[in-house]
Amino acid sequence: MTAYNFEPEILGFLCNWCSYAGADLAGVSRIQYPTNIRIIRVMCSARVDPTFILEAFIQGIDGVMVLGCHLGTCHYLTGNYNTERRMKTAKKVIKKVGLDAERLFVDWVSAAEGERFATFVKKFTDKIRNLGPLGKETAFDNETLKSRLVAAKEALAQDKIRWLVGRERELVEEKNVFGEKVTQEEFDKLMHQTIEKEFAKRRILLSIDKNALSVKEIAQKLGIPTNVVLKNVMALESDGLISVIGIDGNTPKYQITRV
Amino acid sequence: MSEVRVGVFVCHCGTNIGGFLDVPELVKYALSLPNVAFTQENKYTCSETGLSEIKKAILEIQLNRIVVASCTPRTHEPLFRSACKEAGLNPFLFQFVNIRDQCSWVHMHDKEAATKKAKDLIRMGVANAVLLEPLEELKIDVNPKAVVIGGGISGMTSAISLANRGFEVRLIEKSEKLGGTLNNLYKLYPTQIDASNLVTAKIGEIEKNSRIKVLTSSQVLDVDGFVGNYTVKIKQNNKVQNYDAGVIIVATGADVYKPSDLYSYDGERVITQLELEKALKRGEVKAQRIIMIQCAGARTKERPYCSKVCCPTALKNALLIKEKNDDSQLYILYRDMVTPGTEFEDLYGKAREAGINFIKYSPEKEPIVENESLKVYDELLGEELTLPYDLVVLSTPMVARSDSKELAQKLKVPVDEHGFYLEAHVKLRPVDFATDGIFVCGCAHWPSNVDESIFQAYGASSRASIPMSVGYVTTEPLIPVVDEEKCTGCGLCEMNCPFKAIKIEKKEKGRKANVIAASCKGCGTCGAGCPQKAITMKHFTDDQIIAQVRALAEVTS
């Protein structure tokens, strides 16, 4: 095992009824696997809020596994379908941050599949060893990466993305209250735009958390086009989240509204 | 709140943990963690000695959080929780850390790394323990009435058993009369009693019992509610009515597989074992040369299971034919004869004595049924035989009812890959469903013969009567709590709840999510999806989970 010069830290969220039981079975069967993984037990994989994944990355964890019951056999009937949709979105957000989305691994392990669990852990550990420490695949320094992750976590904690994730099945598979149905493609596009917008908004908010900045300064600091920043700043201002706290010459400076 | 005082007990589990992790080092490490007031290592924490050490520490050093680092919560959490309870500590202030099944047993060749991992796990467990809150179990009243779905032998037996205990029962039967599969059977092995006698006796008992109301030609339209308070919507002919019940027993039986393209099946000269039963009952079997093929359509790729009643049934029917007509020639072609126990093995012995011929075939060289004769490769002789026949009987397996999945969805219970109902645990809760208050028996559960079905029916009715006798049930309080200030009543939680346990209702502050604690199973999907983050899942709160993530990221000393 010491052949590798980087040993990643891996966190696993396992559901009580299937994957955690599968991990126990791997133990009972004495199947050996790498020591890198630490497990948090939840009752259902659907308990895993996408913000938990981002929190793990903020804390510097190199890879996260979310394992539930096989689709159709969830102890809570349909819980893991929610997991599937939420984690799909989490992966998109992680990609938006700049990380390799494969740092989040989502799959299914039954209580009888100790071997499958161990194989997943082995393969995932190897994958993360090859990817290297968190952020190695990006050009960001630690501080930038962390602030991007914090912005991503906050975007995932807000209602816009959460609402959309929660409605995906209804929107794509059934009709909405107006009798409309969207295609998966249209939905994905909408989700992509929402993530883009929410992520930008949260980054802007973070950038003016301590110091008041002008639109131009924000754009410079974050590397986002000025017109995009302007649009978002207007939206944030009308939501009352930020306010002008001073004018430098002709340029208004914005800061987070303190209640 | 008073000072948090965590006690950490690290178990050696004999050598299961102690042999692969540095337990003394873990104990020393645990004591260095914030809020930890006491640590101890135990040979077996789950032993009487270990448990009394926990209780002693709670009482003598005022520990108010207990962490046990040992095996798995899936087997031992109830034990440690009750130890806490006995010492006066709320059982939900107990925290498990799995350092055996998910550590020592899977990292047996790297003591150093495994010990480091165990330290991380203990640190995470302690971080969670600090944030645990005392919780009270929920008490729910139980309506002492039962609905039994299915009027075959299992359903009838369950209904009688429940009624004899003093409970009112609605017995729901799809067809026009009670009896189920037994109505098609002739004699029952191993005692050769008439199936119709058994059915008549059971119906007689039901008719005499004023607590049982039978609804024939009825079907279940919908099921709502939770343990103790179910409402079953039933359609009888064209009348729809709701029946309230505290418990439900599923006894819907199974079908016998009817082949379409198997061994030249035609329903006349090649028939199923069930069709033979019917013919025997009518006294219509005239054939002299009869060949039975076991495992016809069973133990295949589509149906890999053994239906287990087919071998004794074939033996029984072969013997019945031989008894009536000693000149008849009978062959049973088998892959493996399955006759467990003394009585069925005895049946096999009798069949051999009676001159019934047994030929072993393999699934790779299946028998071929031709117009006048059947070709079979005898595995034991090692040669192909040609057997002329008058009648071929296919022992086809039991299969799940075609509507089992539909009913399962209404009941919110699972079926297995073959469509049979799936119990909560094969050994620990064999006739319960994971959904409290719903039970299963007979062939709905798995292919069973009559006596097994009766056993299971007694089991299911006995289990079902527990909540009704006690009058209430308690459930784990792993439920969501809604912050009405944050909740906007968007309804996403209601839409995604698999158990209809959270509903938007009009409240003082407008439309808000309302938790129906008794229906809630504690999965937490509502909390993880709430757009406003207005939902806190008790015992698995965001704070508790995040605390574990953060504790993991801390550097191990």
Side-chain angles (χ1 to χ4, degrees):
Chain A
M1 240 178 271
T2 43
Y4 300 90
N5 38 29
F6 163 62
E7 283 301 335
E9 270 198 278
I10 291 168
L11 172 62
F13 287 103
L14 269 55
C15 76
N16 184 61
W17 306 97
C18 293
S19 51
Y20 193 92
D24 278 351
L25 180 62
V28 173
S29 321
R30 309 295 196 276
I31 303 169
Q32 306 296 299
Y33 55 79
T35 57
N36 308 57
I37 188 168
R38 313 286 186 260
I39 288 163
I40 293 179
R41 181 176 69 111
V42 284
M43 294 313 281
C44 178
S45 60
R47 175 66 194 97
V48 183
D49 191 310
T51 57
F52 299 166
I53 313 293
L54 270 296
E55 178 65 33
F57 290 135
I58 291 168
Q59 296 300 326
I61 308 294
D62 303 295
V64 179
M65 301 181 90
V66 176
L67 302 174
C69 309
H70 285 276
L71 292 172
T73 66
C74 178
H75 184 77
Y76 303 100
L77 311 169
T78 52
N80 51 5
Y81 287 97
N82 291 329
T83 310
E84 195 184 31
R85 287 186 286 269
R86 289 173 189 157
M87 293 306 132
K88 189 174 75 180
T89 306
K91 274 176 173 279
K92 285 182 183 155
V93 172
I94 293 163
K95 216 173 147 193
K96 190 79 221 155
V97 169
L99 293 173
D100 191 325
E102 294 203 31
R103 288 191 185 270
L104 170 60
F105 178 83
V106 184
D107 216 308
W108 322 115
V109 171
S110 83
E113 294 175 329
E115 187 75 58
R116 181 175 163 96
F117 170 77
T119 306
F120 279 160
V121 175
K122 278 177 216 162
K123 284 192 176 162
F124 186 65
T125 308
D126 274 342
K127 168 158 273 158
I128 303 298
R129 277 173 184 149
N130 289 327
L131 272 176
L134 188 79
K136 198 183 167 223
E137 64 271 42
T138 71
F140 306 127
D141 57 45
N142 276 346
E143 203 187 324
T144 312
L145 178 64
K146 196 166 172 180
S147 84
R148 289 178 76 90
L149 283 165
V150 170
K153 184 191 167 190
E154 287 179 5
L156 278 172
Q158 297 305 315
D159 58 344
K160 299 278 191 312
I161 299 177
R162 296 172 78 86
W163 188 88
L164 206 53
V165 177
R167 295 274 169 189
E168 177 173 356
R169 187 187 57 86
E170 191 194 29
L171 290 173
V172 177
E173 290 170 19
E174 295 165 21
K175 284 179 181 140
N176 69 9
V177 285
F178 306 110
E180 296 161 332
K181 197 172 156 178
V182 297
T183 64
Q184 187 67 50
E185 218 171 44
E186 287 167 331
F187 179 86
D188 290 344
K189 201 174 151 196
L190 182 61
M191 178 60 92
H192 179 80
Q193 288 166 348
T194 311
I195 290 173
E196 189 119 319
K197 200 165 149 195
E198 290 303 304
F199 184 54
K201 269 197 200 169
R202 295 296 137 190
R203 288 185 65 208
I204 292 169
L205 282 173
L206 279 177
S207 74
I208 51 174
D209 184 25
K210 292 193 184 80
N211 311 309
L213 295 175
S214 69
V215 168
K216 214 170 175 179
E217 286 166 332
I218 296 170
Q220 244 166 11
K221 188 173 172 185
L222 301 179
I224 305 177
T226 318
N227 60 336
V228 177
V229 175
L230 183 64
K231 220 163 73 186
N232 282 307
V233 162
M234 306 290 267
L236 288 166
E237 194 185 8
S238 78
D239 287 348
L241 290 169
I242 62 173
S243 32
V244 178
I245 63 147
I247 295 180
D248 184 8
N250 284 334
T251 323
K253 293 220 175 200
Y254 295 90
Q255 197 170 3
I256 290 181
T257 311
R258 308 280 175 207
V259 185
Chain B
M1 204 171 79
S2 59
E3 180 203 0
V4 173
R5 293 170 60 81
V6 185
V8 181
F9 296 80
V10 186
C11 181
H12 280 261
C13 194
T15 55
N16 283 302
I17 294 170
F20 307 97
L21 306 179
D22 186 344
V23 172
E25 173 63 22
L26 293 177
V27 173
K28 207 173 92 192
Y29 175 73
L31 197 58
S32 75
L33 294 168
N35 298 99
V36 174
F38 179 80
T39 55
Q40 189 182 63
E41 56 189 287
N42 313 100
K43 190 87 187 149
Y44 290 100
T45 314
C46 64
S47 68
E48 207 40 64
T49 324
L51 296 174
S52 60
E53 287 293 331
I54 293 177
K55 289 186 254 185
K56 201 171 99 188
I58 293 172
L59 295 169
E60 290 179 6
I61 24 183
Q62 288 81 47
L63 297 180
N64 51 23
R65 299 290 187 285
I66 297 297
V67 174
V68 171
S70 61
C71 46
T72 169
R74 299 187 73 258
T75 56
H76 281 65
E77 190 172 62
L79 182 73
F80 292 124
R81 274 188 179 170
S82 57
C84 291
K85 204 172 166 183
E86 282 167 35
L89 185 69
N90 186 288
F92 294 93
L93 297 176
F94 167 77
Q95 173 69 35
F96 222 111
V97 177
N98 186 334
I99 59 166
R100 189 189 70 181
D101 304 45
Q102 297 178 4
C103 193
S104 70
W105 275 351
V106 290
H107 312 307
M108 297 171 104
H109 311 300
D110 192 346
K111 191 170 187 170
E112 196 185 321
T115 303
K116 180 174 179 291
K117 170 169 170 175
K119 284 182 182 177
D120 288 350
L121 292 172
I122 291 171
R123 189 172 66 245
M124 291 160 75
V126 170
N128 194 35
V130 170
L131 297 176
L132 291 176
E133 291 167 20
L135 301 173
E136 294 308 322
E137 287 190 323
L138 302 164
K139 213 168 170 181
I140 305 152
D141 287 336
V142 174
N143 181 350
K145 287 180 187 165
V147 161
V148 177
I149 308 171
I153 187 66
S154 310
M156 291 194 292
T157 307
S158 302
I160 294 165
S161 172
L162 284 170
N164 285 344
R165 287 160 195 252
F167 302 111
E168 274 184 45
V169 186
R170 298 272 171 187
L171 181 56
I172 317 298
E173 168 57 38
K174 187 162 63 173
S175 72
E176 319 79 68
K177 58 174 183 179
L178 294 175
T181 304
L182 248 60
N183 287 333
N184 294 323
L185 302 186
Y186 176 43
K187 290 195 186 272
L188 303 175
Y189 65 75
T191 48
Q192 315 291 45
I193 67 157
D194 280 347
S196 57
N197 287 356
L198 184 60
V199 173
T200 314
K202 290 282 176 192
I203 292 178
E205 271 188 79
I206 288 171
E207 282 171 351
K208 270 191 294 180
N209 201 319
S210 61
R211 292 196 190 94
I212 306 175
K213 298 271 182 301
V214 179
L215 287 125
T216 51
S217 307
S218 298
Q219 66 182 110
V220 176
L221 292 185
D222 201 9
V223 180
D224 202 5
F226 44 87
V227 58
N229 299 275
Y230 284 108
T231 304
V232 186
K233 193 190 242 181
I234 291 162
K235 186 177 166 189
Q236 187 179 32
N237 300 315
N238 284 320
K239 208 175 79 188
V240 176
Q241 215 169 331
N242 282 331
Y243 294 98
D244 292 336
V247 295
I248 297 170
I249 293 181
V250 179
T252 47
D255 287 325
V256 173
Y257 177 61
K258 198 175 164 137
S260 54
D261 184 23
L262 194 66
Y263 296 118
S264 314
Y265 170 80
D266 60 5
E268 285 173 24
R269 289 189 71 227
V270 183
I271 63 174
T272 65
Q273 195 70 247
L274 183 68
E275 285 161 345
L276 177 70
E277 286 270 354
K278 290 182 199 169
L280 283 169
K281 197 173 176 178
R282 294 192 298 263
E284 282 173 1
V285 180
K286 303 278 181 292
Q288 279 287 330
R289 298 167 300 174
I290 301 174
I291 305 173
M292 296 183 181
I293 305 178
Q294 299 306 104
C295 296
R299 299 166 73 204
T300 59
K301 224 178 197 171
E302 299 87 20
R303 285 170 295 279
Y305 57 91
C306 167
S307 181
K308 118 182 145 182
V309 300
C310 336
C311 282
T313 303
L315 293 170
K316 175 214 41 162
N317 287 342
L319 277 166
L320 285 171
I321 292 166
K322 197 79 183 163
E323 266 167 36
K324 275 206 181 125
N325 176 5
D326 198 33
D327 294 336
S328 57
Q329 274 178 37
L330 280 145
Y331 284 92
I332 295 180
L333 315 187
Y334 69 96
R335 279 167 60 186
D336 301 285
M337 285 305 288
V338 175
T339 55
T342 27
E343 284 180 318
F344 300 162
E345 187 61 18
D346 193 36
L347 210 56
Y348 175 66
K350 278 186 188 148
R352 283 235 176 241
E353 271 170 36
I356 293 160
N357 303 297
F358 289 83
I359 295 173
K360 185 172 169 67
Y361 75 93
S362 87
E364 288 77 38
K365 288 184 191 163
E366 282 192 336
I368 298 161
V369 179
E370 292 173 343
N371 233 347
E372 299 296 325
S373 60
L374 178 150
K375 284 200 175 110
V376 57
Y377 182 83
D378 187 321
E379 284 286 307
L380 302 181
L381 282 179
E383 63 184 64
E384 188 175 82
L385 306 175
T386 304
L387 309 169
Y389 68 86
D390 302 318
L391 185 67
V392 172
V393 180
L394 306 179
S395 287
T396 57
M398 282 194 206
V399 290
R401 296 270 192 221
S402 55
D403 57 358
S404 72
K405 272 184 197 159
E406 203 185 310
L407 181 62
Q409 272 169 6
K410 289 173 188 160
L411 291 161
K412 301 212 176 296
V413 297
V415 291
D416 68 12
E417 60 202 293
H418 313 299
F420 290 106
Y421 290 94
L422 190 64
E423 73 289 317
H425 189 286
V426 66
K427 290 191 179 67
L428 302 176
R429 296 171 65 193
V431 293
D432 301 11
F433 280 112
T435 305
D436 293 330
I438 309 184
F439 306 86
V440 63
C441 58
C443 295
H445 189 195
W446 198 241
S448 314
N449 59 34
V450 173
D451 39 331
E452 268 179 284
S453 296
I454 294 173
F455 284 148
Q456 289 191 28
Y458 283 139
S461 50
S462 150
R463 294 285 295 163
S465 66
I466 294 174
M468 295 198 288
S469 309
V470 176
Y472 65 86
V473 287
T474 54
T475 64
E476 282 207 340
L478 310 183
I479 54 162
V481 176
V482 178
D483 179 344
E484 292 196 358
E485 294 299 327
K486 288 186 186 166
C487 176
T488 59
C490 74
L492 207 58
C493 50
E494 178 174 339
M495 197 170 84
N496 287 332
C497 175
F499 301 98
K500 303 180 185 168
I502 191 161
K503 283 184 177 149
I504 303 298
E505 280 175 13
K506 214 165 167 175
K507 294 195 172 182
E508 237 174 73
K509 291 171 186 161
R511 288 167 56 76
K512 302 286 171 193
N514 185 45
V515 178
I516 301 136
S519 298
C520 178
K521 295 269 153 203
C523 65
T525 193
C526 55
C530 175
Q532 307 301 329
K533 281 190 155 278
I535 294 173
T536 304
M537 272 314 291
K538 287 283 179 193
H539 209 59
F540 286 88
T541 66
D542 281 21
D543 288 350
Q544 288 164 1
I545 294 170
I546 297 275
Q548 292 178 68
V549 175
R550 291 188 177 160
L552 166 56
E554 283 168 26
V555 183
T556 321
S557 57

